[in-house]
Amino acid sequence: QLQLVESGGGLVQPGGSLRLSCAASGWNLKYYAVGWFRQAPGKQREGVSCVSSEDGVSDGGTHYSDSVKGRFSISRDIAKNTVYLQLNSLKPEDTAVYYCAADYSDGQCVMSPNYDYWGLGTQVTVSS
């Protein structure tokens, strides 16, 4: 059973940066596609970024939503069994609870909430 725990959220000013972590336990995360999602109050959960598994079938490729492309970066540290999301040039509209999710799949990751395992989220607030 895979368990995920997010951390690294907080309060930052517009233009600032944060690095979110998604630490996995139970199974090796490198065999899973991992996605980052966010949900602001009153809005639906949306995909932010994802990274494919590195099982020899999937290539570990990454995808980003148009709203964050060029500002956010997802990466995987196999030794630490952790996936990171680097958030740069933050805007107030980035304010949300950020969730990581994982799914055992040999295909490319998707930014739809069709993942089997979820963390509980970490709050990111961008405000002056």
Side-chain angles (χ1 to χ4, degrees), residues 21-117:
S21 298
C22 177
S25 61
W27 300 99
N28 195 328
L29 197 58
K30 75 177 183 179
Y31 298 114
Y32 293 78
V34 177
W36 282 97
F37 298 81
R38 66 186 183 187
Q39 188 164 23
K43 295 188 176 181
Q44 65 181 229
R45 189 170 299 187
E46 64 173 349
V48 175
S49 180
C50 68
V51 58
S52 300
S53 63
E54 301 178 13
D55 58 4
V57 177
S58 300
D59 61 2
T62 59
H63 294 85
Y64 300 91
S65 67
D66 290 339
S67 63
V68 309
K69 187 174 296 184
R71 300 188 298 120
F72 293 5
S73 179
I74 191 170
S75 61
R76 188 194 301 262
D77 188 330
I78 295 175
K80 294 184 180 296
N81 209 26
T82 299
V83 170
Y84 301 96
L85 184 68
Q86 179 69 41
L87 291 69
N88 297 322
S89 302
L90 284 163
K91 306 174 181 179
E93 53 262 44
D94 295 319
T95 296
V97 176
Y98 284 70
Y99 301 88
C100 68
D103 191 83
Y104 190 81
S105 175
D106 60 358
Q108 290 190 325
C109 66
V110 296
M111 291 187 290
S112 299
N114 299 317
Y115 287 75
D116 291 334
Y117 305 97

